[in-house]
PDB file of all heavy atoms in Angstrom:
ATOM      1  N   ARG A   2       0.857  -1.174  -0.003  1.00 84.00           N
ATOM      2  CA  ARG A   2      -0.020   0.003   0.010  1.00 84.00           C
ATOM      3  C   ARG A   2       0.885   1.259   0.004  1.00 84.00           C
ATOM      4  O   ARG A   2       1.893   1.303   0.687  1.00 84.00           O
ATOM      5  CB  ARG A   2      -0.895  -0.019   1.240  1.00 84.00           C
ATOM      6  CG  ARG A   2      -1.501   1.297   1.648  1.00 84.00           C
ATOM      7  CD  ARG A   2      -2.129   1.212   3.016  1.00 84.00           C
ATOM      8  NE  ARG A   2      -2.248   2.553   3.636  1.00 84.00           N
ATOM      9  CZ  ARG A   2      -1.340   3.137   4.286  1.00 84.00           C
ATOM     10  NH1 ARG A   2      -0.164   2.535   4.521  1.00 84.00           N
ATOM     11  NH2 ARG A   2      -1.576   4.361   4.814  1.00 84.00           N
ATOM     12  N   VAL A   3       0.473   2.227  -0.811  1.00 72.00           N
ATOM     13  CA  VAL A   3       1.186   3.489  -0.818  1.00 72.00           C
ATOM     14  C   VAL A   3       0.827   4.284   0.433  1.00 72.00           C
ATOM     15  O   VAL A   3      -0.327   4.507   0.701  1.00 72.00           O
ATOM     16  CB  VAL A   3       0.854   4.329  -2.044  1.00 72.00           C
ATOM     17  CG1 VAL A   3       1.561   5.689  -2.038  1.00 72.00           C
ATOM     18  CG2 VAL A   3       1.214   3.573  -3.307  1.00 72.00           C
ATOM     19  N   PRO A   4       1.822   4.683   1.276  1.00 68.00           N
ATOM     20  CA  PRO A   4       1.484   5.475   2.457  1.00 68.00           C
ATOM     21  C   PRO A   4       0.689   6.693   2.082  1.00 68.00           C
ATOM     22  O   PRO A   4       1.013   7.440   1.213  1.00 68.00           O
ATOM     23  CB  PRO A   4       2.866   5.858   2.985  1.00 68.00           C
ATOM     24  CG  PRO A   4       3.799   4.793   2.478  1.00 68.00           C
ATOM     25  CD  PRO A   4       3.243   4.436   1.137  1.00 68.00           C
ATOM     26  N   ASP A   5      -0.405   6.903   2.776  1.00 63.00           N
ATOM     27  CA  ASP A   5      -1.366   7.941   2.447  1.00 63.00           C
ATOM     28  C   ASP A   5      -0.991   9.173   3.303  1.00 63.00           C
ATOM     29  O   ASP A   5      -1.529   9.407   4.358  1.00 63.00           O
ATOM     30  CB  ASP A   5      -2.783   7.490   2.782  1.00 63.00           C
ATOM     31  CG  ASP A   5      -3.819   8.475   2.323  1.00 63.00           C
ATOM     32  OD1 ASP A   5      -3.438   9.552   1.774  1.00 63.00           O
ATOM     33  OD2 ASP A   5      -5.002   8.252   2.501  1.00 63.00           O
ATOM     34  N   MET A   6      -0.010   9.954   2.788  1.00 50.00           N
ATOM     35  CA  MET A   6       0.463  11.115   3.536  1.00 50.00           C
ATOM     36  C   MET A   6       0.351  12.362   2.652  1.00 50.00           C
ATOM     37  O   MET A   6       0.616  12.352   1.451  1.00 50.00           O
ATOM     38  CB  MET A   6       1.902  10.933   3.958  1.00 50.00           C
ATOM     39  CG  MET A   6       2.075   9.724   4.920  1.00 50.00           C
ATOM     40  SD  MET A   6       3.772   9.586   5.509  1.00 50.00           S
ATOM     41  CE  MET A   6       3.814  10.979   6.613  1.00 50.00           C
ATOM     42  N   PRO A   7      -0.020  13.501   3.216  1.00 46.00           N
ATOM     43  CA  PRO A   7      -0.197  14.703   2.413  1.00 46.00           C
ATOM     44  C   PRO A   7       1.103  15.346   2.008  1.00 46.00           C
ATOM     45  O   PRO A   7       2.056  15.309   2.744  1.00 46.00           O
ATOM     46  CB  PRO A   7      -0.981  15.617   3.330  1.00 46.00           C
ATOM     47  CG  PRO A   7      -0.545  15.174   4.712  1.00 46.00           C
ATOM     48  CD  PRO A   7      -0.332  13.693   4.642  1.00 46.00           C
ATOM     49  N   VAL A   8       1.107  15.903   0.776  1.00 41.00           N
ATOM     50  CA  VAL A   8       2.237  16.710   0.370  1.00 41.00           C
ATOM     51  C   VAL A   8       2.107  18.094   1.013  1.00 41.00           C
ATOM     52  O   VAL A   8       1.041  18.692   0.998  1.00 41.00           O
ATOM     53  CB  VAL A   8       2.266  16.821  -1.128  1.00 41.00           C
ATOM     54  CG1 VAL A   8       3.245  17.909  -1.643  1.00 41.00           C
ATOM     55  CG2 VAL A   8       2.616  15.479  -1.771  1.00 41.00           C
ATOM     56  N   LYS A   9       3.215  18.602   1.522  1.00 42.00           N
ATOM     57  CA  LYS A   9       3.180  19.907   2.135  1.00 42.00           C
ATOM     58  C   LYS A   9       4.274  20.754   1.467  1.00 42.00           C
ATOM     59  O   LYS A   9       5.247  20.249   0.938  1.00 42.00           O
ATOM     60  CB  LYS A   9       3.424  19.814   3.608  1.00 42.00           C
ATOM     61  CG  LYS A   9       2.364  19.005   4.392  1.00 42.00           C
ATOM     62  CD  LYS A   9       2.632  18.955   5.842  1.00 42.00           C
ATOM     63  CE  LYS A   9       1.564  18.106   6.566  1.00 42.00           C
ATOM     64  NZ  LYS A   9       1.852  17.979   8.050  1.00 42.00           N
ATOM     65  N   GLY A  10       4.107  22.069   1.558  1.00 40.00           N
ATOM     66  CA  GLY A  10       5.121  22.917   1.049  1.00 40.00           C
ATOM     67  C   GLY A  10       4.902  23.396  -0.348  1.00 40.00           C
ATOM     68  O   GLY A  10       3.771  23.330  -0.872  1.00 40.00           O
ATOM     69  N   GLU A  11       5.911  23.941  -0.971  1.00 38.00           N
ATOM     70  CA  GLU A  11       5.814  24.519  -2.315  1.00 38.00           C
ATOM     71  C   GLU A  11       5.517  23.458  -3.347  1.00 38.00           C
ATOM     72  O   GLU A  11       5.912  22.288  -3.200  1.00 38.00           O
ATOM     73  CB  GLU A  11       7.098  25.237  -2.692  1.00 38.00           C
ATOM     74  CG  GLU A  11       7.400  26.440  -1.758  1.00 38.00           C
ATOM     75  CD  GLU A  11       8.694  27.095  -2.107  1.00 38.00           C
ATOM     76  OE1 GLU A  11       9.412  26.566  -2.949  1.00 38.00           O
ATOM     77  OE2 GLU A  11       8.995  28.159  -1.518  1.00 38.00           O
ATOM     78  N   GLY A  12       4.920  23.849  -4.419  1.00 38.00           N
ATOM     79  CA  GLY A  12       4.708  22.965  -5.547  1.00 38.00           C
ATOM     80  C   GLY A  12       3.345  22.256  -5.522  1.00 38.00           C
ATOM     81  O   GLY A  12       2.981  21.619  -6.541  1.00 38.00           O
ATOM     82  N   VAL A  13       2.582  22.332  -4.429  1.00 37.00           N
ATOM     83  CA  VAL A  13       1.287  21.664  -4.362  1.00 37.00           C
ATOM     84  C   VAL A  13       0.327  22.187  -5.390  1.00 37.00           C
ATOM     85  O   VAL A  13      -0.373  21.439  -6.082  1.00 37.00           O
ATOM     86  CB  VAL A  13       0.689  21.743  -2.926  1.00 37.00           C
ATOM     87  CG1 VAL A  13      -0.682  21.147  -2.892  1.00 37.00           C
ATOM     88  CG2 VAL A  13       1.632  21.113  -1.954  1.00 37.00           C
ATOM     89  N   GLU A  14       0.248  23.502  -5.527  1.00 41.00           N
ATOM     90  CA  GLU A  14      -0.667  24.156  -6.463  1.00 41.00           C
ATOM     91  C   GLU A  14      -0.374  23.664  -7.878  1.00 41.00           C
ATOM     92  O   GLU A  14      -1.317  23.367  -8.629  1.00 41.00           O
ATOM     93  CB  GLU A  14      -0.643  25.654  -6.341  1.00 41.00           C
ATOM     94  CG  GLU A  14      -1.648  26.367  -7.257  1.00 41.00           C
ATOM     95  CD  GLU A  14      -1.602  27.846  -7.107  1.00 41.00           C
ATOM     96  OE1 GLU A  14      -0.887  28.338  -6.203  1.00 41.00           O
ATOM     97  OE2 GLU A  14      -2.291  28.562  -7.883  1.00 41.00           O
ATOM     98  N   ARG A  15       0.886  23.634  -8.223  1.00 37.00           N
ATOM     99  CA  ARG A  15       1.271  23.257  -9.585  1.00 37.00           C
ATOM    100  C   ARG A  15       0.866  21.776  -9.813  1.00 37.00           C
ATOM    101  O   ARG A  15       0.336  21.411 -10.870  1.00 37.00           O
ATOM    102  CB  ARG A  15       2.744  23.447  -9.796  1.00 37.00           C
ATOM    103  CG  ARG A  15       3.285  22.886 -11.124  1.00 37.00           C
ATOM    104  CD  ARG A  15       2.606  23.485 -12.329  1.00 37.00           C
ATOM    105  NE  ARG A  15       3.098  22.917 -13.560  1.00 37.00           N
ATOM    106  CZ  ARG A  15       2.417  22.904 -14.691  1.00 37.00           C
ATOM    107  NH1 ARG A  15       1.222  23.458 -14.729  1.00 37.00           N
ATOM    108  NH2 ARG A  15       2.923  22.361 -15.755  1.00 37.00           N
ATOM    109  N   LEU A  16       1.116  20.923  -8.831  1.00 36.00           N
ATOM    110  CA  LEU A  16       0.791  19.525  -8.955  1.00 36.00           C
ATOM    111  C   LEU A  16      -0.728  19.328  -9.133  1.00 36.00           C
ATOM    112  O   LEU A  16      -1.177  18.509  -9.940  1.00 36.00           O
ATOM    113  CB  LEU A  16       1.257  18.752  -7.721  1.00 36.00           C
ATOM    114  CG  LEU A  16       2.762  18.518  -7.649  1.00 36.00           C
ATOM    115  CD1 LEU A  16       3.143  17.975  -6.278  1.00 36.00           C
ATOM    116  CD2 LEU A  16       3.203  17.590  -8.727  1.00 36.00           C
ATOM    117  N   GLN A  17      -1.505  20.102  -8.395  1.00 37.00           N
ATOM    118  CA  GLN A  17      -2.937  19.974  -8.501  1.00 37.00           C
ATOM    119  C   GLN A  17      -3.452  20.372  -9.915  1.00 37.00           C
ATOM    120  O   GLN A  17      -4.373  19.831 -10.412  1.00 37.00           O
ATOM    121  CB  GLN A  17      -3.614  20.842  -7.470  1.00 37.00           C
ATOM    122  CG  GLN A  17      -3.444  20.358  -6.050  1.00 37.00           C
ATOM    123  CD  GLN A  17      -3.987  21.321  -4.990  1.00 37.00           C
ATOM    124  OE1 GLN A  17      -4.118  22.508  -5.262  1.00 37.00           O
ATOM    125  NE2 GLN A  17      -4.299  20.817  -3.856  1.00 37.00           N
ATOM    126  N   GLN A  18      -2.700  21.316 -10.537  1.00 37.00           N
ATOM    127  CA  GLN A  18      -3.090  21.733 -11.900  1.00 37.00           C
ATOM    128  C   GLN A  18      -2.861  20.668 -12.935  1.00 37.00           C
ATOM    129  O   GLN A  18      -3.591  20.568 -13.928  1.00 37.00           O
ATOM    130  CB  GLN A  18      -2.351  22.986 -12.288  1.00 37.00           C
ATOM    131  CG  GLN A  18      -2.726  24.229 -11.453  1.00 37.00           C
ATOM    132  CD  GLN A  18      -1.862  25.429 -11.759  1.00 37.00           C
ATOM    133  OE1 GLN A  18      -0.893  25.317 -12.548  1.00 37.00           O
ATOM    134  NE2 GLN A  18      -2.153  26.541 -11.142  1.00 37.00           N
ATOM    135  N   VAL A  19      -1.867  19.837 -12.741  1.00 36.00           N
ATOM    136  CA  VAL A  19      -1.483  18.831 -13.760  1.00 36.00           C
ATOM    137  C   VAL A  19      -2.112  17.478 -13.525  1.00 36.00           C
ATOM    138  O   VAL A  19      -1.940  16.558 -14.343  1.00 36.00           O
ATOM    139  CB  VAL A  19       0.059  18.676 -13.899  1.00 36.00           C
ATOM    140  CG1 VAL A  19       0.673  19.987 -14.256  1.00 36.00           C
ATOM    141  CG2 VAL A  19       0.615  18.125 -12.612  1.00 36.00           C
ATOM    142  N   LEU A  20      -2.880  17.317 -12.484  1.00 37.00           N
ATOM    143  CA  LEU A  20      -3.416  16.019 -12.106  1.00 37.00           C
ATOM    144  C   LEU A  20      -4.760  15.723 -12.739  1.00 37.00           C
ATOM    145  O   LEU A  20      -5.498  14.869 -12.228  1.00 37.00           O
ATOM    146  CB  LEU A  20      -3.504  15.866 -10.596  1.00 37.00           C
ATOM    147  CG  LEU A  20      -2.133  15.628  -9.881  1.00 37.00           C
ATOM    148  CD1 LEU A  20      -2.329  15.539  -8.472  1.00 37.00           C
ATOM    149  CD2 LEU A  20      -1.407  14.474 -10.485  1.00 37.00           C
ATOM    150  N   HIS A  21      -5.169  16.409 -13.764  1.00 35.00           N
ATOM    151  CA  HIS A  21      -6.409  16.096 -14.438  1.00 35.00           C
ATOM    152  C   HIS A  21      -6.206  15.043 -15.514  1.00 35.00           C
ATOM    153  O   HIS A  21      -5.879  15.336 -16.690  1.00 35.00           O
ATOM    154  CB  HIS A  21      -6.986  17.377 -15.054  1.00 35.00           C
ATOM    155  CG  HIS A  21      -7.297  18.486 -14.044  1.00 35.00           C
ATOM    156  ND1 HIS A  21      -8.246  18.332 -13.108  1.00 35.00           N
ATOM    157  CD2 HIS A  21      -6.689  19.665 -13.826  1.00 35.00           C
ATOM    158  CE1 HIS A  21      -8.285  19.420 -12.324  1.00 35.00           C
ATOM    159  NE2 HIS A  21      -7.341  20.213 -12.769  1.00 35.00           N
ATOM    160  N   VAL A  22      -6.328  13.818 -15.108  1.00 34.00           N
ATOM    161  CA  VAL A  22      -6.031  12.692 -16.003  1.00 34.00           C
ATOM    162  C   VAL A  22      -7.212  11.766 -16.029  1.00 34.00           C
ATOM    163  O   VAL A  22      -8.103  11.733 -15.202  1.00 34.00           O
ATOM    164  CB  VAL A  22      -4.781  11.925 -15.503  1.00 34.00           C
ATOM    165  CG1 VAL A  22      -3.552  12.794 -15.505  1.00 34.00           C
ATOM    166  CG2 VAL A  22      -5.028  11.373 -14.088  1.00 34.00           C
ATOM    167  N   PRO A  23      -7.285  10.945 -17.119  1.00 34.00           N
ATOM    168  CA  PRO A  23      -8.427  10.021 -17.209  1.00 34.00           C
ATOM    169  C   PRO A  23      -8.407   8.983 -16.106  1.00 34.00           C
ATOM    170  O   PRO A  23      -7.364   8.698 -15.518  1.00 34.00           O
ATOM    171  CB  PRO A  23      -8.234   9.328 -18.575  1.00 34.00           C
ATOM    172  CG  PRO A  23      -7.273  10.251 -19.316  1.00 34.00           C
ATOM    173  CD  PRO A  23      -6.431  10.866 -18.289  1.00 34.00           C
ATOM    174  N   ARG A  24      -9.582   8.465 -15.780  1.00 36.00           N
ATOM    175  CA  ARG A  24      -9.651   7.396 -14.808  1.00 36.00           C
ATOM    176  C   ARG A  24      -8.829   6.196 -15.241  1.00 36.00           C
ATOM    177  O   ARG A  24      -8.701   5.931 -16.438  1.00 36.00           O
ATOM    178  CB  ARG A  24     -11.098   6.967 -14.585  1.00 36.00           C
ATOM    179  CG  ARG A  24     -11.912   8.019 -13.876  1.00 36.00           C
ATOM    180  CD  ARG A  24     -13.384   7.612 -13.892  1.00 36.00           C
ATOM    181  NE  ARG A  24     -14.181   8.631 -13.176  1.00 36.00           N
ATOM    182  CZ  ARG A  24     -15.530   8.673 -13.249  1.00 36.00           C
ATOM    183  NH1 ARG A  24     -16.148   7.764 -13.970  1.00 36.00           N
ATOM    184  NH2 ARG A  24     -16.154   9.604 -12.594  1.00 36.00           N
ATOM    185  N   HIS A  25      -8.286   5.536 -14.275  1.00 38.00           N
ATOM    186  CA  HIS A  25      -7.487   4.283 -14.478  1.00 38.00           C
ATOM    187  C   HIS A  25      -6.109   4.602 -15.063  1.00 38.00           C
ATOM    188  O   HIS A  25      -5.393   3.686 -15.348  1.00 38.00           O
ATOM    189  CB  HIS A  25      -8.218   3.267 -15.333  1.00 38.00           C
ATOM    190  CG  HIS A  25      -9.583   2.928 -14.838  1.00 38.00           C
ATOM    191  ND1 HIS A  25      -9.800   2.483 -13.600  1.00 38.00           N
ATOM    192  CD2 HIS A  25     -10.793   3.018 -15.451  1.00 38.00           C
ATOM    193  CE1 HIS A  25     -11.072   2.269 -13.431  1.00 38.00           C
ATOM    194  NE2 HIS A  25     -11.675   2.607 -14.538  1.00 38.00           N
ATOM    195  N   THR A  26      -5.750   5.853 -15.234  1.00 43.00           N
ATOM    196  CA  THR A  26      -4.428   6.174 -15.704  1.00 43.00           C
ATOM    197  C   THR A  26      -3.483   6.054 -14.491  1.00 43.00           C
ATOM    198  O   THR A  26      -3.742   6.741 -13.470  1.00 43.00           O
ATOM    199  CB  THR A  26      -4.355   7.556 -16.333  1.00 43.00           C
ATOM    200  OG1 THR A  26      -5.186   7.591 -17.469  1.00 43.00           O
ATOM    201  CG2 THR A  26      -2.932   7.909 -16.774  1.00 43.00           C
TER     202      THR A  26
END
């Protein structure tokens, strides 16, 4: 299992912008 831990700090906003991907990708 991938540890379910939040990302903190810089870069979060940019990551959220690029995470629009199809399901099951």
Side-chain angles (χ1 to χ4, degrees):
R2 162 191 159 273
V3 177
D5 187 0
M6 299 185 71
V8 168
K9 299 179 180 178
E11 298 178 352
V13 175
E14 182 177 354
R15 172 60 182 157
L16 286 171
Q17 292 174 335
Q18 293 174 356
V19 301
L20 287 180
H21 298 294
V22 297
R24 289 173 180 165
H25 306 304
T26 298

